[in-house]
Amino acid sequence: MNTLQNVLARVHAILDKLTPYSTSVLRIVIGLVFIYFGYTGIVTPDMWAGFVPEWTSFLGTPEKLVQLHGIAEVALGLLLILGIQTRIIALLLFLNLAHMITTIEFGPSMVRDFGILAGLFTLTATQPNQTAQNTN
């Protein structure tokens, strides 16, 4: 084995030790993202009210709907972090984000949203025995 192969084998051995933690890290980081955006929806709903479709006006003011959405995002983000029903929560957040992506015009933040969507898909599709915390 040459030197490069030895180095690559060592790097792979280190990376293999991280594998059991990968879905937990993904779950926690994505949960924090939803908690952050949910919190901003709760405390500054006017910042997001412009994205609320007009047809929802019978449900309440755009600001109130944004606040309700923010509460849901915070709650789901916490459940994701805690690893409670991870696959179901990830699926709900995936559907929520996919809906938002399809209703908002394309922009720079959408690139971030596609990355988060891919992470949520991974958490949804990962078998329960492949996560460090098996509460799926």
Side-chain angles (χ1 to χ4, degrees), residues 6 38 43 60 66:
N6 287 336
V43 297
V66 168

Side-chain angles (χ1 to χ4, degrees), residues 34-109:
F34 277 95
I35 288 171
Y36 170 77
F37 282 104
Y39 175 76
T40 64
I42 294 167
V43 297
T44 57
D46 52 312
M47 185 168 81
W48 305 102
F51 294 106
V52 177
E54 286 183 33
W55 68 265
T56 62
S57 62
F58 72 96
L59 296 170
T61 66
E63 292 78 13
K64 287 296 177 199
L65 293 175
V66 168
Q67 287 178 318
L68 288 172
H69 186 258
I71 291 168
E73 284 190 333
V74 168
L76 292 171
L78 283 172
L79 291 172
L80 195 63
I81 287 171
L82 295 173
I84 297 170
Q85 293 296 319
T86 300
R87 296 174 78 193
I88 300 300
I89 300 302
L91 176 62
L92 291 173
L93 289 169
F94 177 90
L95 294 171
N96 172 61
L97 188 56
H99 175 262
M100 290 191 323
I101 286 173
T102 60
T103 59
I104 298 172
E105 40 180 276
F106 187 80
S109 65

